[in-house]
Amino acid sequence: MNVPLTDQADADARARAGLLFGLAAYGLWGVMPIYFKLLKAVPSIDIVAHRIVWSLVVLVFLATMAKAWGQIGAAVRSRKTLPILFVTSVLIGTNWLLYVYAINSGHILAGSLGYYLNPLANILLGRFILKERLTRLQWAAVAIAAAGIAVLAAGALGTLWISLTLCFSFATYGLLRKIVHVESLAGLAIETALLFPIALGWLLLGGSEGRPMFGLGGQETALLISAGVVSTVPLLCFTAAARRLAYSTVGMLQFIAPTLQFLLAVAIYDEPFTWAHGIAFGCIWTALALYLGAMIRDRRASQQRECDEMAEA
């Protein structure tokens, strides 16, 4: 009799933790353009190389503190896990490079559109690959969000390749990280280690413009070194959220990051906010309200059914 209650309590605690991790990840990603704009003078590929090198330093420290080396060793020895992590390392490296390029080439809105497309991709992957069920109201939310994004896409054909590549790379990354049997810290450490030799070699050879490995000193050096923390923390939060929440729910939470990026682009970096953006915002946040409302309603109905069944027993 007590087992269902215990299982439900564990599931609820896991879902709450996943929600907090998700909010932290997308909130941090939402304000990340501020950080990369401070490094505008550094070529994008050099910034990403520093992200990889310093991320590995941070991850080695975290893995030691968390005593995660056993998990890392088991994942490396697994014939199923390591090939998937190789693919995810390529996906996240591509995503990082294109995201930094979008920000520092004046295309924050194009990058934001990619992350607006991403939740829809997550929801559809969750439905058709992971067989997660959606109610009619949730399908309606998806359709409304898609309509808003279509309005944005129609006015951004010239940079749509940026948006689509960001969407595809990160949606696929999240899906693979959800299904692979490795904890977030161990998986990210392996991914970063796979990219590390290429990144370090690039920097030792002088990067794309023969720049000093640690930047030109002062603020630039400090920002490049801090790239490890800036890159690692939100990604760890994301992978922790993806393992605890339905993938479709992760998809809806992701609207937080591009919304913050839109606000930064318009309010701070003077990118134009058009009527298409206004329509898209209205559609997307209406969809978010519908989706979350349906999710809360279904959870309450499920809990009520369990209570009724226990009372009858």
Side-chain angles (χ1 to χ4, degrees), residues 105-190:
S105 62
H107 297 304
I108 295 178
L109 292 181
S112 298
L113 175 56
Y115 291 113
Y116 270 131
L117 290 169
N118 203 328
L120 294 180
N122 289 349
I123 292 167
L124 294 175
L125 287 172
R127 172 63 184 87
F128 294 109
I129 303 298
L130 303 179
K131 306 303 181 183
E132 297 175 355
R133 298 177 62 184
L134 296 179
T135 66
R136 291 182 179 179
L137 192 57
Q138 288 171 332
W139 275 117
V142 172
I144 292 171
I149 292 170
V151 173
L152 277 179
L157 293 178
T159 56
L160 194 56
W161 68 273
I162 295 176
S163 305
L164 292 176
T165 305
L166 285 173
C167 171
F168 171 79
S169 60
F170 199 69
T172 308
Y173 172 82
L175 175 66
L176 292 176
R177 284 306 308 268
K178 182 173 178 63
I179 63 178
V180 69
H181 296 293
V182 62
E183 290 299 321
S184 56
L185 176 58
L188 184 56
I190 295 170

Side-chain angles (χ1 to χ4, degrees), residues 19 22-23 26-27 30 112 115-116 119-120 123 137-138 140-149 152 249-264 273 276-294:
L19 182 62
L23 291 173
Y26 294 123
S112 298
Y115 291 113
Y116 270 131
L120 294 180
I123 292 167
L137 192 57
Q138 288 171 332
V142 172
I144 292 171
I149 292 170
L152 277 179
T249 301
V250 173
M252 293 306 291
L253 285 176
Q254 192 165 355
F255 282 131
I256 294 170
T259 297
L260 291 174
Q261 291 167 13
F262 259 124
L263 294 174
L264 287 175
F273 186 87
H277 295 141
I279 293 174
F281 268 115
C283 289
I284 287 165
W285 284 105
T286 298
L288 180 59
L290 285 175
Y291 185 90
L292 293 179

Side-chain angles (χ1 to χ4, degrees), residues 89-110:
S89 70
V90 174
L91 289 169
I92 198 60
T94 301
N95 184 273
W96 280 2
L97 179 58
L98 190 55
Y99 179 64
V100 174
Y101 166 79
I103 291 173
N104 286 346
S105 62
H107 297 304
I108 295 178
L109 292 181

Side-chain angles (χ1 to χ4, degrees), residues 183-263:
E183 290 299 321
S184 56
L185 176 58
L188 184 56
I190 295 170
E191 290 168 345
T192 309
L194 289 170
L195 296 172
F196 178 82
I198 300 173
L200 182 62
W202 178 263
L203 293 176
L204 289 175
L205 291 173
S208 57
E209 296 179 356
R211 298 168 61 87
M213 180 175 176
F214 295 102
L216 299 178
Q219 180 183 4
E220 184 175 288
T221 298
L223 288 170
L224 289 172
I225 293 175
S226 65
V229 174
V230 171
S231 302
T232 301
V233 172
L235 200 54
L236 284 173
C237 289
F238 167 76
T239 53
R243 292 181 61 83
R244 289 167 173 81
L245 296 173
Y247 203 48
S248 51
T249 301
V250 173
M252 293 306 291
L253 285 176
Q254 192 165 355
F255 282 131
I256 294 170
T259 297
L260 291 174
Q261 291 167 13
F262 259 124
L263 294 174

